[in-house]
Amino acid sequence: MATVAIAHLRKVYANGVVAVDDFCLEVADGEFVALVGPSGCGKSTTLRMVAGLEAITSGTVAIGGRVVNDLPPKDRDIAMVFQNYALYPHMTVRGNMAFGLRLRRTPKAEIARRIAEAAETLGLAALLDRLPKQLSGGQRQRVALGRAIVRQPKVFLFDEPLSNLDAKMRVEMRQEIHRLHRRLGATVLYVTHDQTEAMTLGDRIVVMEAGRIRQADDPIALYDRPRNRFAATFIGTPPMNLIPAVALPGGALRTAAGDLLPPPGALPAVEAGRAVLLGVRPEALTPLEAPAPGALPATVEIVERMGAEADAHFALPGLPPIVARLPPDAPLRHGDRRFLLPAYPRAALFDPESGERL
């Protein structure tokens, strides 16, 4: 395996659209890095530039210490797994897995050995003589994985490989990829719009917006300590609640629904009169039946019960709706009045204009 070093990568199309802007990232040998962000944020374009499928406007991509900007894809020692599987319909599973090795004039015995090992690992041994049309979606994706594995590349690149699968199959394939990475110790760049995939698979997650990195961190740090409003609201389902407020002398906050009284030192000191956004994760909100210092009056609008948990949506006077994640048997119904108390040590303050964490 190998490291991947991406320095000041930039992609500008002929019409002037900037798809990727000043992208810098170091991927360690054997590290699994997930690129996540909304559609059009530049994550797939970045991956394609690493693969050599997209021309680089400026910046460098180095794999294993060698700059590969001018190398064709076949010489970069990478393997890519695509969203649409990209299998040859007229070839059997065995033929699809062997095709790249045959182009490299790998000895037949070595091809057979690698295919047998990959097929055993992925549960494809009984399917080697079938055509892609005779396989399910999950089996086709396993073939695409097997074709990448037999290459034994320095770096694996995944471009939203599970997005065409149903929910149950996505969970199974996610576990398969996790086991595969653990067994191979592979260096992986994995593009997805699904934050669950990113959180469960990635050693590190890179959150992108408008072609730029907004935060690159391990999953727990990203969830607990987002550096900006975009990362805070993109990661997490439901997303972090953002409550507009104004700082008061002594550390209190005033919202349109009432005053909040965080314990001393629970939030960063902010000068009086400054506008802020108080960020609170849904699971860090407790609904109380009686008023309490630092709690906001709210009315239950919707309760979504999902078996293991319940998401309660609250309306607050003069504020955006707020969601609290509660136990599944939380005794709440539409129209109930409660007082929402944030767990202030777990909260964050953001600048409303820049979006950066204070």
Coordinates of all heavy atoms in Angstrom, one line a residue, residues 266-314:
A266 N -19.3 26.7 30.7 CA -19.8 25.7 29.8 C -19.7 26.1 28.4 O -19.6 25.2 27.5 CB -21.3 25.4 30.2
L267 N -19.7 27.4 28.1 CA -19.6 27.9 26.7 C -18.5 28.9 26.7 O -18.1 29.5 27.7 CB -20.9 28.5 26.3 CG -22.1 27.6 26.1 CD1 -23.4 28.4 25.8 CD2 -21.9 26.6 25.0
P268 N -17.9 29.2 25.5 CA -16.8 30.2 25.4 C -17.3 31.6 25.7 O -18.5 31.9 25.5 CB -16.4 30.1 23.9 CG -17.5 29.4 23.2 CD -18.1 28.5 24.2
A269 N -16.5 32.4 26.3 CA -16.9 33.7 26.6 C -17.1 34.6 25.4 O -16.2 34.5 24.5 CB -15.8 34.4 27.5
V270 N -18.2 35.3 25.3 CA -18.5 36.1 24.2 C -18.9 37.5 24.7 O -19.6 37.6 25.7 CB -19.7 35.5 23.4 CG1 -20.1 36.4 22.2 CG2 -19.3 34.1 22.9
E271 N -18.4 38.5 23.9 CA -18.7 39.9 24.4 C -20.2 40.2 24.3 O -20.9 39.7 23.4 CB -18.0 40.9 23.5 CG -18.3 40.9 22.1 CD -17.4 40.0 21.3 OE1 -16.8 39.0 21.9 OE2 -17.2 40.2 20.0
A272 N -20.7 40.9 25.3 CA -22.1 41.2 25.4 C -22.6 42.0 24.1 O -21.9 42.8 23.6 CB -22.4 42.1 26.6
G273 N -23.8 41.6 23.6 CA -24.4 42.2 22.5 C -24.0 41.5 21.2 O -24.6 41.8 20.1
R274 N -23.2 40.5 21.2 CA -22.8 39.8 20.0 C -23.8 38.8 19.6 O -24.3 38.0 20.5 CB -21.4 39.2 20.1 CG -21.0 38.4 18.9 CD -19.6 37.9 19.0 NE -19.2 37.2 17.7 CZ -17.9 36.8 17.5 NH1 -17.0 37.1 18.4 NH2 -17.6 36.2 16.4
A275 N -24.2 38.7 18.3 CA -25.1 37.7 17.9 C -24.4 36.3 17.7 O -23.2 36.3 17.3 CB -25.7 38.1 16.5
V276 N -25.0 35.3 18.1 CA -24.4 33.9 18.1 C -25.5 32.9 17.6 O -26.7 33.2 17.6 CB -23.8 33.5 19.4 CG1 -22.7 34.4 19.8 CG2 -24.9 33.4 20.5
L277 N -25.0 31.7 17.3 CA -25.9 30.6 17.1 C -25.5 29.5 18.1 O -24.3 29.1 18.2 CB -25.7 30.0 15.7 CG -26.3 30.9 14.5 CD1 -25.9 30.2 13.2 CD2 -27.8 31.0 14.6
L278 N -26.4 29.1 18.9 CA -26.2 28.1 19.9 C -26.5 26.7 19.2 O -27.6 26.5 18.8 CB -27.0 28.2 21.1 CG -27.0 27.1 22.2 CD1 -25.6 27.1 22.9 CD2 -28.1 27.3 23.2
G279 N -25.5 25.9 19.1 CA -25.6 24.6 18.5 C -25.8 23.5 19.5 O -24.9 23.3 20.4
V280 N -26.9 22.7 19.4 CA -27.2 21.6 20.4 C -27.6 20.4 19.6 O -28.5 20.5 18.8 CB -28.3 22.1 21.4 CG1 -28.5 21.0 22.4 CG2 -28.0 23.4 22.0
R281 N -26.9 19.3 19.8 CA -27.3 18.0 19.2 C -28.7 17.6 19.8 O -29.0 17.9 20.9 CB -26.3 16.9 19.5 CG -25.0 17.1 18.8 CD -25.1 16.9 17.3 NE -23.8 17.0 16.6 CZ -23.7 17.1 15.3 NH1 -24.7 17.1 14.5 NH2 -22.5 17.2 14.7
P282 N -29.5 16.9 18.9 CA -30.8 16.5 19.4 C -30.8 15.6 20.7 O -31.7 15.8 21.5 CB -31.4 15.7 18.2 CG -30.7 16.2 17.0 CD -29.3 16.6 17.5
E283 N -29.8 14.8 20.8 CA -29.7 13.9 22.0 C -29.3 14.7 23.3 O -29.3 14.2 24.4 CB -28.8 12.7 21.8 CG -27.4 13.1 21.6 CD -27.1 13.4 20.1 OE1 -28.0 13.6 19.3 OE2 -25.9 13.4 19.8
A284 N -28.9 16.0 23.1 CA -28.4 16.8 24.2 C -29.5 17.8 24.7 O -29.2 18.8 25.3 CB -27.2 17.6 23.8
L285 N -30.8 17.5 24.4 CA -31.9 18.3 24.8 C -32.8 17.4 25.7 O -33.1 16.3 25.4 CB -32.7 18.8 23.6 CG -32.1 19.9 22.8 CD1 -32.8 20.1 21.5 CD2 -32.2 21.2 23.6
T286 N -33.2 18.0 26.8 CA -34.1 17.3 27.8 C -35.4 18.0 27.9 O -35.4 19.2 28.3 CB -33.4 17.1 29.1 OG1 -32.2 16.4 29.0 CG2 -34.4 16.4 30.1
P287 N -36.5 17.4 27.6 CA -37.8 18.1 27.8 C -38.3 18.0 29.2 O -38.4 16.9 29.8 CB -38.8 17.4 26.8 CG -38.2 16.1 26.6 CD -36.7 16.2 26.9
L288 N -38.6 19.1 29.8 CA -39.0 19.2 31.2 C -40.5 19.6 31.3 O -41.0 20.3 30.4 CB -38.2 20.2 32.0 CG -36.7 20.0 32.0 CD1 -36.0 21.1 32.8 CD2 -36.3 18.6 32.6
E289 N -41.2 19.1 32.3 CA -42.6 19.5 32.4 C -42.8 20.8 33.1 O -43.9 21.4 32.9 CB -43.4 18.4 33.2 CG -43.4 17.0 32.4 CD -44.3 16.0 33.1 OE1 -45.0 16.4 34.1 OE2 -44.4 14.9 32.6
A290 N -41.8 21.2 33.8 CA -41.9 22.5 34.6 C -40.8 23.4 34.2 O -39.7 23.0 33.7 CB -41.9 22.3 36.1
P291 N -41.0 24.8 34.3 CA -39.9 25.7 33.9 C -38.7 25.5 34.8 O -38.7 25.0 35.9 CB -40.5 27.1 34.2 CG -42.0 26.8 34.2 CD -42.2 25.4 34.7
A292 N -37.5 25.7 34.2 CA -36.2 25.6 34.9 C -35.3 26.6 34.3 O -35.4 27.0 33.1 CB -35.7 24.2 34.7
P293 N -34.3 27.1 35.1 CA -33.3 28.0 34.6 C -32.6 27.5 33.3 O -32.1 26.3 33.3 CB -32.3 28.2 35.8 CG -33.1 27.8 37.0 CD -34.1 26.7 36.5
G294 N -32.5 28.3 32.3 CA -31.8 27.9 31.1 C -32.7 27.0 30.1 O -32.1 26.6 29.1
A295 N -33.9 26.8 30.4 CA -34.8 26.0 29.6 C -35.7 26.9 28.8 O -36.2 27.9 29.2 CB -35.6 25.0 30.4
L296 N -36.1 26.4 27.5 CA -36.9 27.3 26.7 C -38.3 26.6 26.5 O -38.4 25.4 26.4 CB -36.3 27.3 25.3 CG -35.0 28.1 25.2 CD1 -34.4 28.0 23.8 CD2 -35.2 29.6 25.5
P297 N -39.4 27.4 26.6 CA -40.7 26.9 26.4 C -40.9 26.4 25.0 O -40.5 27.1 24.0 CB -41.6 28.1 26.7 CG -40.8 29.3 26.4 CD -39.4 28.9 26.8
A298 N -41.6 25.3 24.8 CA -41.7 24.7 23.5 C -43.0 23.9 23.4 O -43.5 23.4 24.5 CB -40.5 23.8 23.1
T299 N -43.5 23.7 22.2 CA -44.7 22.9 22.0 C -44.5 21.7 21.1 O -43.8 22.0 20.0 CB -45.9 23.8 21.5 OG1 -46.1 24.9 22.3 CG2 -47.2 23.0 21.3
V300 N -44.9 20.5 21.4 CA -44.7 19.4 20.6 C -45.5 19.5 19.3 O -46.7 19.7 19.4 CB -45.0 18.1 21.3 CG1 -44.8 16.9 20.4 CG2 -44.2 17.9 22.6
E301 N -44.8 19.3 18.1 CA -45.5 19.3 16.9 C -45.7 17.9 16.3 O -46.8 17.5 15.9 CB -44.8 20.2 15.8 CG -44.9 21.7 16.1 CD -44.5 22.5 14.9 OE1 -43.5 22.1 14.2 OE2 -45.2 23.5 14.6
I302 N -44.6 17.2 16.3 CA -44.6 15.8 15.7 C -43.7 14.9 16.6 O -42.6 15.4 17.0 CB -44.0 15.8 14.2 CG1 -44.9 16.7 13.3 CG2 -44.0 14.4 13.7 CD1 -44.2 16.9 12.0
V303 N -44.1 13.7 16.8 CA -43.2 12.7 17.4 C -43.0 11.5 16.5 O -44.0 10.9 16.1 CB -43.8 12.2 18.8 CG1 -42.8 11.2 19.4 CG2 -44.0 13.4 19.7
E304 N -41.8 11.3 16.0 CA -41.5 10.2 15.1 C -40.9 9.1 16.0 O -39.8 9.2 16.5 CB -40.5 10.6 14.1 CG -41.0 11.8 13.2 CD -39.9 12.3 12.2 OE1 -38.8 12.4 12.6 OE2 -40.3 12.6 11.1
R305 N -41.6 8.0 16.1 CA -41.2 6.8 16.9 C -40.6 5.8 16.0 O -41.2 5.3 15.1 CB -42.3 6.3 17.7 CG -42.9 7.3 18.7 CD -43.9 6.8 19.7 NE -44.6 7.8 20.4 CZ -44.1 8.4 21.5 NH1 -42.9 8.1 21.9 NH2 -44.8 9.4 22.1
M306 N -39.3 5.4 16.2 CA -38.6 4.5 15.3 C -38.1 3.3 16.0 O -37.2 2.6 15.6 CB -37.4 5.3 14.8 CG -37.8 6.5 13.9 SD -36.4 7.5 13.4 CE -36.1 8.4 15.0
G307 N -38.8 2.9 17.1 CA -38.5 1.6 17.7 C -37.5 1.8 18.8 O -37.8 1.7 20.0
A308 N -36.2 2.1 18.4 CA -35.1 2.2 19.4 C -35.1 3.6 20.0 O -34.4 3.8 21.0 CB -33.8 1.8 18.8
E309 N -35.7 4.6 19.3 CA -35.6 6.0 19.8 C -36.8 6.7 19.2 O -37.6 6.2 18.3 CB -34.3 6.6 19.3 CG -34.1 6.6 17.8 CD -32.7 6.6 17.4 OE1 -31.8 6.5 18.3 OE2 -32.4 6.7 16.2
A310 N -37.0 8.0 19.7 CA -38.1 8.8 19.1 C -37.5 10.2 18.9 O -36.7 10.7 19.7 CB -39.2 8.9 20.1
D311 N -37.9 10.8 17.8 CA -37.5 12.2 17.5 C -38.7 13.1 17.6 O -39.7 12.9 16.9 CB -36.9 12.3 16.0 CG -35.6 11.6 15.9 OD1 -34.9 11.4 16.9 OD2 -35.2 11.3 14.7
A312 N -38.6 14.0 18.6 CA -39.7 14.9 18.9 C -39.4 16.3 18.3 O -38.3 16.9 18.6 CB -39.9 15.0 20.4
H313 N -40.3 16.8 17.5 CA -40.1 18.1 16.8 C -40.9 19.1 17.6 O -42.1 18.9 17.9 CB -40.6 18.0 15.4 CG -39.8 17.1 14.5 ND1 -39.0 17.5 13.5 CD2 -39.8 15.7 14.5 CE1 -38.4 16.4 13.0 NE2 -38.9 15.3 13.5
F314 N -40.2 20.2 18.0 CA -40.8 21.2 18.9 C -40.9 22.5 18.1 O -40.0 22.9 17.4 CB -40.0 21.4 20.2 CG -40.1 20.3 21.1 CD1 -39.2 19.2 21.0 CD2 -41.0 20.2 22.1 CE1 -39.2 18.1 21.9 CE2 -41.1 19.2 23.0 CZ -40.2 18.1 22.9

